[in-house]
Amino acid sequence: MCKKVLILGGTGAIGEQLVQILLSENYKVFVTSRTPHKTDNVNLKYLLGNAHDEKFLKNILNEVYDAIVDFMQYDSIDEFRILLPIKIQSTKQYIFCSSARVYAGKEEILSEDSACLYGITDPIEAYAMNKISQERELLRLKSHNWTIIRPYITYNKERLQLGKFEKEEWLYRAIHNRTIVFPKEILEKVTTMTYAQDVARVVEQLLGNKEAFGNIIQITTSEFMCWRDILEIYLDVLEDKISYRPKVLLYENDIWRLSVDRKQNRKFDSSKVMKMCKVCFTKTEIGLKECLEAFIEEHRNFKKIAWTTQAKMDLLTDEITSLDEIDNNEDRMKYMMIRFGGYIFERKKGDLHKQWKIWAEDYARKDYIYMKNIFETNRKIGIFAVSNIARRITGAYRIANEDKTKKKILLFDSNSLRWGENVDGYIIQEPKDSVLKTLDVMIIASNQYYEEIYREYDYLEKLGIKIVSVKEFFRD
């Protein structure tokens, strides 16, 4: 049986629950944290430092642990690849926390064998794509002293999600008597929410479980419900606890862009984990009610509030947040700029226009200067990986058009879910060879995925088509 466990990034929703469960089972628990923690428990030790730092990691891995449970988020596959051998060699079992967001499939019920996302460069899917790359690194290992776990949306009294919004975005508004905003397009979509304590119980049972070695295990309840029902559960609790039922505004546009998993129904097959572990998953309605009630009754604090998000929501709902709620001048300025002088919402047209009244034209003209040579020397321009940077290019192109520059721009993305999407008047296309070969130049508008995209399409250069990165002309 495992007795000495190191938890990397163990201060999150699942990690905190796991620590308490392990201590109750008399494990010796070591937890990395970048902030100091005090404890009177002799079996719990916090290791102060950054687990992303190779030197710190080597120092704490001088001794062998029975298990390492890794909840860290690695934004770079190179970082993960460098640190992985150090961890694998210092433990009998390495448990890597991936995510059930990795799935691409639209199957009615998803299992560990369901297809994963592939070749998507959209920044909104960066989290899922990074997890997939990291899983592949483990699958390539000759040793099999690892276990990959895939939880989905987990909740506890510190984390209560609604659609893509954390409690700091939706619950904060409700408690301050402002309207909750929610995307209408996913109101009837089915999702799965699992109590974080249940996930932690499963992780504890996987420690030292030989059946789990070299295996991928999704840890989710098999229960599911639509977002409308989850919203109603929250509203019922709030009405009972704060004596009024918060208003809800259903917006119809992708103002806050949704990831693939949120746009699709998400039901999971939990048969594999149920065979390996003895677990009784908490009923979703009961768990959500208990956690929200506890948050309100215990007067728990919100984490950092994103005031730019609150300003956009206030614009949608025609509400105003008192500046007394905002605790520093910098955030007050950000809120004021967006709420009263920045983004313009035209709800009658059903569209969101991100227009800075004073700076928009100047900004686009500055970008045009950066790109002038591209526009003047190429007649057919392709932009690959549609993002905010791509929108900067199309904005600069509009300035070029004013200067009577007759060019044609085409947008491409490897994410099939975006094909046909209208972005600033341009339709995103599938990157078919027959169309790509007609280009004069292809601009890769993603710094993060530049190398991956370039490797896939470098054959175009042999046909005389230039491939360039946005780094070549944007300086900021």
Side-chain angles (χ1 to χ4, degrees):
M1 181 180 179
C2 299
K3 281 296 180 183
K4 188 176 177 184
V5 178
L6 171 66
I7 302 179
L8 303 176
T11 55
I14 304 172
E16 286 186 345
Q17 300 283 349
L18 179 60
V19 169
Q20 297 307 312
I21 291 171
L22 294 177
L23 291 174
S24 71
E25 296 292 331
N26 295 317
Y27 286 80
K28 292 187 180 297
V29 184
F30 300 80
V31 182
T32 63
S33 176
R34 285 185 284 187
T35 55
H37 289 263
K38 292 182 180 180
T39 178
D40 296 325
N41 194 316
V42 294
N43 285 332
L44 174 60
K45 183 177 181 180
Y46 286 97
L47 305 172
L48 185 62
N50 184 355
H52 289 284
D53 182 79
E54 186 176 357
K55 185 177 179 182
F56 169 74
L57 202 59
K58 285 181 175 178
N59 185 49
I60 65 173
L61 293 178
N62 278 330
E63 49 187 308
V64 175
Y65 296 87
D66 290 298
I68 295 175
V69 184
D70 191 350
F71 292 108
M72 298 290 291
Q73 182 173 331
Y74 301 93
D75 295 326
S76 161
I77 184 59
D78 291 332
E79 177 194 11
F80 184 79
R81 189 179 290 130
I82 290 169
L83 299 178
L84 182 59
I86 305 170
K87 292 177 286 191
I88 286 290
Q89 295 164 14
S90 302
T91 185
K92 297 174 184 177
Q93 183 184 16
Y94 173 66
I95 297 182
F96 173 66
C97 186
S98 184
S99 170
R101 282 182 58 181
V102 301
Y103 296 117
K106 297 181 181 180
E107 302 103 305
E108 184 177 355
I109 298 178
L110 296 165
S111 72
E112 289 86 350
D113 296 324
S114 296
C116 291
L117 296 167
Y118 176 76
I120 293 179
T121 57
D122 190 336
I124 201 166
E125 302 300 342
Y127 175 82
M129 294 305 295
N130 284 336
K131 289 295 187 184
I132 292 168
S133 298
Q134 291 150 18
E135 285 189 12
R136 287 174 181 160
E137 289 300 312
L138 284 164
L139 292 167
R140 291 189 186 104
L141 294 176
K142 292 182 179 179
S143 62
H144 288 85
N145 62 325
W146 52 264
T147 303
I148 295 170
I149 59 173
R150 288 176 180 168
Y152 190 48
I153 302 174
T154 58
Y155 65 89
N156 62 7
K157 56 188 175 184
E158 290 295 342
R159 189 176 192 199
L160 292 156
Q161 288 181 285
L162 179 63
K164 75 163 289 174
F165 298 123
E166 299 288 347
K167 72 178 191 302
E168 283 71 22
E169 294 160 319
W170 72 269
L171 181 56
Y172 181 85
R173 296 184 65 78
I175 288 178
H176 287 80
N177 203 15
R178 288 192 288 277
T179 305
I180 298 170
V181 300
F182 190 82
K184 186 176 181 179
E185 73 169 293
I186 68 167
L187 190 63
E188 304 301 335
K189 293 293 183 183
V190 166
T191 192
T192 300
M193 298 182 74
T194 308
Y195 188 26
Q197 191 173 49
D198 294 341
V199 177
R201 286 196 188 99
V202 171
V203 174
E204 188 271 330
Q205 292 182 54
L206 292 177
L207 296 176
N209 185 335
K210 294 298 182 182
E211 194 177 354
F213 282 41
N215 221 328
I216 299 175
I217 304 159
Q218 62 185 21
I219 309 178
T220 65
T221 176
S222 58
E223 185 188 2
F224 52 85
M225 61 174 56
C226 69
W227 282 111
R228 180 191 291 276
D229 292 338
I230 292 168
L231 176 59
E232 288 299 318
I233 291 170
Y234 288 150
L235 293 176
D236 288 344
V237 172
L238 288 167
E239 186 174 18
D240 179 56
K241 295 297 178 182
I242 62 178
S243 302
Y244 62 85
R245 193 175 188 85
K247 294 180 289 185
V248 178
L249 173 68
L250 300 176
Y251 63 87
E252 298 193 16
N253 300 286
D254 204 356
I255 297 168
W256 289 275
R257 290 189 57 216
L258 299 167
S259 55
V260 169
D261 65 288
R262 292 300 195 272
K263 289 184 176 183
Q264 298 178 1
N265 291 322
R266 280 298 185 251
K267 304 176 188 178
F268 297 94
D269 177 2
S270 61
S271 59
K272 188 173 184 178
V273 70
M274 296 296 284
K275 288 177 183 177
M276 283 190 186
C277 306
K278 294 179 181 179
V279 58
C280 181
F281 286 106
T282 304
K283 294 286 290 182
T284 306
E285 181 176 0
I286 294 171
L288 289 176
K289 282 183 176 179
E290 289 180 352
C291 289
L292 181 51
E293 287 171 351
F295 179 84
I296 296 171
E297 291 170 357
E298 296 171 16
H299 303 287
R300 290 179 170 268
N301 295 324
F302 288 95
K303 297 176 183 177
K304 184 175 175 60
I305 303 297
W307 290 109
T308 52
T309 299
Q310 292 298 317
K312 296 174 197 175
M313 290 179 171
D314 279 353
L315 269 170
L316 272 176
T317 60
D318 292 327
E319 294 168 324
I320 299 174
T321 296
S322 168
L323 294 183
D324 292 336
E325 284 183 34
I326 308 173
D327 59 8
N328 65 78
N329 287 333
E330 182 180 353
D331 282 336
R332 290 188 187 109
M333 287 296 294
K334 289 178 181 177
Y335 176 86
M336 294 284 286
M337 187 179 294
I338 293 173
R339 176 62 184 88
F340 298 106
Y343 292 90
I344 302 171
F345 291 75
E346 293 183 354
R347 278 184 281 174
K348 290 182 180 178
K349 293 183 180 179
D351 198 6
L352 166 67
H353 298 275
K354 189 179 178 183
Q355 296 176 320
W356 290 100
K357 291 181 178 178
I358 300 174
W359 303 321
E361 286 300 311
D362 289 341
Y363 202 70
R365 289 189 181 280
K366 182 178 71 171
D367 285 343
Y368 171 52
I369 292 171
Y370 291 154
M371 299 199 63
K372 187 175 182 180
N373 185 56
I374 289 284
F375 288 142
E376 289 182 348
T377 58
N378 300 281
R379 298 199 63 80
K380 200 167 186 180
I381 301 167
I383 304 175
F384 201 103
V386 180
S387 60
N388 288 334
I389 296 176
R391 288 180 172 88
R392 287 180 64 180
I393 298 171
T394 57
Y397 172 67
R398 279 193 290 272
I399 302 299
N401 250 358
E402 290 175 9
D403 294 343
K404 310 302 180 187
T405 308
K406 301 296 182 182
K407 307 294 174 188
K408 185 174 183 181
I409 281 189
L410 301 175
L411 300 188
F412 303 96
D413 203 291
S414 57
N415 182 358
S416 61
L417 295 175
R418 301 200 69 189
W419 298 343
E421 183 181 328
N422 188 317
V423 177
D424 297 336
Y426 298 90
I427 303 300
I428 301 176
Q429 302 182 41
E430 178 183 359
K432 294 180 178 178
D433 276 1
S434 58
V435 181
L436 294 176
K437 290 176 180 179
T438 66
L439 299 175
D440 295 310
V441 63
M442 182 168 80
I443 302 170
I444 299 177
S446 170
N447 291 327
Q448 184 175 4
Y449 293 105
Y450 173 79
E451 291 184 4
E452 183 178 332
I453 298 170
Y454 179 80
R455 284 196 298 271
E456 188 166 354
Y457 295 100
D458 60 357
Y459 70 90
L460 294 174
E461 290 187 322
K462 297 177 182 177
L463 303 176
I465 301 167
K466 291 181 289 185
I467 301 178
V468 298
S469 165
V470 288
K471 288 181 180 180
E472 295 188 23
F473 39 78
F474 280 170
R475 305 293 181 238
D476 56 0

